[in-house]
């Protein structure tokens, strides 16, 4: 009998993170997931809920220490924010800029270093929810420039993890979930959460053991950086 796969989804209170946690559970995975607020025992009880604000340094350090070495086949750092309404480096306040880049760029990478030991050596995946908007080739008009820049920077800092993940035989993924109907994506987005997360789950299942760093969307199509 094959051993049950284990996933940890960071930032799963709603939207894509919650949907993917449920999708992997339906596929037979054991799923742990995080929210900023602790939840009652009746909230999706099939999922093991942990509490984490990725911008809380102390909490993140303690969180990393809780995890068992090599426990997870997949750790996905999915938490993210859209940032200020006025997407201009000149109009946004310094506090808004710092908050955006802390949440979308620096905290995910700092957390990754704290949880890296918990990814299964050889076949495990460390993944980040990025965006196609991060790519200069795919986002030629610089739509949503501040948000997009925060994800471009995330992709670059993810690449900087490659020597460490390579030495452990891990696969690094920067994922584009599509434009999805969530609080962030809005009702006009073409994709439902269900459509996006089925695709993302397929990507996670098919990239185990591949190695390297891949920028790929929910249909498994590689994206240009
Ligand atoms: N929707 C799209 O079309 C789209 C497209 C490309 C990429 N993405 C990316 O996909 C990811 C998920 O987006 P979504 O559409 O599902 O957005 P969402 O519905 O707004 O959900 C965002 C999630 O991130 C969590 N989060 C935010 N800041 C956090 C923090 N400091 N610590 C821990 N958790 C935090 C939120 O938790 P709370 O409930 O506590 O706020 C929530 O669970 C994001 O990284 C986003 O940039 C989305």
């Amino acid at each position: 009998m094959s051993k049950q796969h284990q996933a940890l989804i960071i930032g799963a209170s709603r939207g894509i993170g919650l949907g993917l946690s449920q999708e992997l559970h339906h596929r037979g995975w054991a799923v742990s997931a995080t929210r900023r607020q602790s939840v009652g025992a009746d909230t999706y009880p099939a999922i093991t809920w942990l509490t984490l604000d990725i911008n809380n340094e102390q909490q993140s350090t303690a969180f990393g220490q809780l995890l068992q070495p090599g426990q997870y086949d997949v750790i996905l750092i999915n938490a993210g924010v859209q940032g200020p309404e006025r997407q201009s480096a000149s109009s946004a306040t310094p506090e808004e800029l710092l908050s955006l880049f802390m949440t979308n760029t620096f905290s995910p990478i700092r957390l990754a270093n704290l949880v890296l030991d918990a990814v299964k050596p050889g076949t495990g995946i460390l993944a980040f929810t990025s965006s196609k908007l991060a790519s200069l080739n795919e986002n030629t008009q610089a739509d949503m420039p501040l948000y997009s820049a925060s994800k471009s920077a995330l992709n670059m800092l993810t690449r900087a993890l490659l020597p460490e993940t390579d030495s452990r035989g891990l696969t690094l993924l920067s994922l584009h979930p599509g434009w999805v109907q969530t609080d962030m994506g809005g009702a006009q987005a073409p994709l439902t959460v269900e459509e996006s997360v089925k695709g993302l789950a397929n990507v996670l299942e098919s990239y185990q053991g591949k190695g390297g760093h891949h920028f790929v969307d929910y249909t498994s199509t590689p994206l240009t950086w």
Side-chain angles (χ1 to χ4, degrees):
M1 200 176 83
S2 67
K3 205 166 166 287
Q4 189 181 29
H5 283 101
Q6 296 209 35
L8 171 61
I9 312 294
I10 310 282
S13 61
R14 55 197 164 96
I16 294 162
L18 178 59
L20 182 60
S21 300
Q22 292 172 306
E23 175 65 22
L24 290 174
H25 167 67
H26 291 142
R27 292 183 185 209
W29 289 56
V31 180
S32 303
T34 74
R35 307 172 54 121
R36 284 194 271 195
Q37 310 295 328
S38 57
V39 293
D42 55 344
T43 309
Y44 306 105
I47 294 170
T48 301
W49 288 104
L50 305 164
T51 305
L52 180 63
D53 180 332
I54 63 167
N55 292 333
N56 183 324
E57 192 72 18
Q58 249 187 333
Q59 211 180 46
S60 297
T61 302
F63 181 83
Q65 288 168 352
L66 268 181
L67 309 180
Q68 304 298 315
Q71 184 179 353
Y72 294 106
D73 298 279
V74 169
I75 295 183
L76 169 65
I77 304 182
N78 171 72
V81 291
Q82 190 167 298
E85 198 153 316
R86 281 175 303 178
Q87 287 269 314
S88 143
S90 306
S91 318
T93 66
E95 292 73 24
E96 287 174 329
L97 296 172
L98 279 175
S99 169
L100 170 66
F101 276 77
M102 192 49 76
T103 304
N104 283 5
T105 310
F106 301 122
S107 293
I109 297 296
R110 290 166 75 90
L111 182 64
N113 281 305
L114 295 169
V115 301
L116 199 55
D117 279 346
V119 186
K120 194 172 283 176
T123 54
I125 291 176
L126 176 63
F128 297 84
T129 310
S130 180
S131 171
K132 190 174 178 170
L133 295 176
S135 163
L136 288 171
N137 292 296
E138 311 272 355
N139 184 7
T140 53
Q141 302 298 314
D143 286 337
M144 300 280 296
L146 291 181
Y147 170 80
S148 303
S150 72
K151 295 289 190 178
S152 308
L154 172 65
N155 285 357
M156 182 58 82
L157 293 184
T158 302
R159 173 59 60 89
L161 297 172
L162 190 59
E164 182 62 39
T165 54
D166 265 356
S167 73
R168 297 166 185 245
L170 307 183
T171 302
L172 263 181
L173 295 179
S174 295
L175 297 172
H176 172 57
W179 182 15
V180 188
Q181 294 158 15
T182 62
D183 293 339
M184 186 186 294
Q188 74 280 25
L191 281 178
T192 63
V193 168
E194 289 68 27
E195 290 167 325
S196 169
V197 300
K198 278 190 193 335
L200 291 174
N202 290 342
V203 172
L204 293 174
E205 289 184 334
S206 63
Y207 271 78
Q208 291 179 83
K210 270 207 195 306
H213 180 201
H214 309 270
F215 187 20
V216 61
D217 78 4
Y218 73 103
T219 68
S220 300
T221 303
L223 299 171
T224 51
W225 291 103

